[in-house]
């Protein structure tokens, strides 16, 4: 059995046993489905406050309001949920004092870091699929009727957006490592979310990689295909820096 396979099994067990991962997953999944459904019902009821917040989306079908709300909530909520989980995965080793034990293992620390990233990405894909299914199920149980083509397209883009949120949140792994704890990783996530939101409101456009997935999920026609080439730069760099930091990790620094 290779060192990476051993590390993957160990990190997979940590993820499955983690209450932090479970709580983040349930809160994101349940909150997104519940809020989206609430907006859909409120728009149907003609709630003035909700209609003002939804903007042009408020005049769509119930499924369009549901799917559009889910995408908009996932843009920021997905970053927070994924960021908390990846920050926990790396930061817990320092806050719980288990990092010293990793130095005695035959598996290299860079390999352990890579396994953490791989397990986290698998979790983000699972979260994306289950969350999308929960949104569709909530709409069906609520009796919103048949799904129209526009809503189906929006729902199909939702899991892609959540996975992209998982990738964009990867710098939290590096910050949790060099900051030796969970808080520095969560702080990095907060900065990423704020910068992404400001870039959208400031009109930075689809060429800003932090905003590209969210803008694409809302309106694919407004995002050039070439803009997607910039999106992997941040997560790839963050993953490489994290593995390098773990390889050079020393207990006295």
């Amino acid at each position: 059995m290779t060192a990476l396979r051993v590390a993957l099994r160990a990190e997979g067990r940590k993820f499955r046993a983690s209450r932090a991962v479970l709580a983040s997953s349930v809160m994101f999944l349940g909150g997104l489905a519940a809020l989206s459904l609430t907006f859909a019902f409120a728009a149907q009821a003609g709630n003035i406050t909700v209609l003002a917040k939804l903007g042009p989306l408020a005049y769509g079908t119930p499924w369009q309001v549901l799917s559009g709300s889910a995408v908009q909530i996932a843009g920021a909520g997905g970053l927070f949920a994924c960021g908390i989980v990846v920050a926990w995965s790396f930061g817990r080793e320092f806050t719980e004092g288990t990092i010293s034990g990793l130095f005695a293992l035959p598996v290299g620390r860079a390999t352990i870091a890579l396994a953490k990233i791989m397990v986290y990405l698998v979790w983000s894909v699972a979260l994306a699929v289950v969350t999308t299914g929960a949104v569709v199920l909530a709409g069906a149980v609520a009796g919103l009727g048949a799904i129209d083509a526009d809503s189906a397209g929006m729902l199909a883009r939702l899991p892609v957006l959540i996975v992209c949120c998982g990738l964009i949140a990867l710098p939290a792994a590096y910050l949790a490592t060099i900051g030796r704890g969970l808080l520095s990783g969560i702080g990095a996530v907060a900065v990423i979310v704020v910068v992404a939101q400001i870039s959208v409101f400031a009109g930075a456009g689809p060429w800003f990689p932090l905003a590209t997935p969210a803008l694409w999920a809302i309106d694919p026609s407004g995002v050039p295909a070439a803009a997607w080439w910039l999106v992997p730069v941040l997560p790839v760099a963050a993953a490489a820096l994290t593995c390098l930091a773990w390889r050079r990790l020393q207990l006295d620094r």
Side-chain angles (χ1 to χ4, degrees), residues 78-94 113 116-117 120 123 165-193 210 234-243 245-246:
L79 275 175
F80 267 118
C82 293
I84 289 173
V85 170
V86 72
W88 166 86
S89 178
F90 285 85
R92 66 172 292 275
E93 305 290 0
F94 300 95
K116 285 179 178 291
I117 292 172
Y120 159 73
W123 166 83
C165 287
L167 291 171
I168 294 172
L170 270 176
Y174 178 66
L175 270 296
T177 298
I178 63 174
R180 300 295 193 270
L182 180 63
L183 291 180
S184 55
I186 295 177
V189 176
V191 171
I192 291 173
V193 172
L210 294 180
L234 181 64
V236 169
L241 287 172
T242 302
C243 291
W246 272 63

Side-chain angles (χ1 to χ4, degrees), residues 99-203:
I99 186 65
S100 57
L102 300 182
F103 281 77
L105 296 178
V107 180
R109 292 183 301 279
T111 302
I112 295 175
L114 178 59
K116 285 179 178 291
I117 292 172
M118 292 174 67
V119 171
Y120 159 73
L121 292 178
V122 170
W123 166 83
S124 69
V125 172
L127 179 68
V129 174
V130 175
T131 300
T132 304
V135 172
V136 174
L137 180 61
V141 172
L144 298 186
I147 303 178
D148 55 276
D150 290 340
S151 300
M154 191 82 75
L155 290 170
R157 295 191 293 272
L158 178 60
V160 179
L161 173 60
I162 296 174
V163 172
C164 287
C165 287
L167 291 171
I168 294 172
L170 270 176
Y174 178 66
L175 270 296
T177 298
I178 63 174
R180 300 295 193 270
L182 180 63
L183 291 180
S184 55
I186 295 177
V189 176
V191 171
I192 291 173
V193 172
V194 171
V195 171
Q197 294 297 310
I198 291 176
S199 67
V200 173
F201 288 119

Side-chain angles (χ1 to χ4, degrees), residues 4-27:
L4 181 58
R5 289 180 60 186
V6 172
L8 285 171
R9 290 183 61 182
E11 294 304 323
R13 289 174 180 172
K14 291 179 185 178
F15 255 70
R16 289 193 297 271
S18 170
R19 294 182 179 178
V21 174
L22 178 61
S24 297
S25 303
V26 172
M27 290 179 65

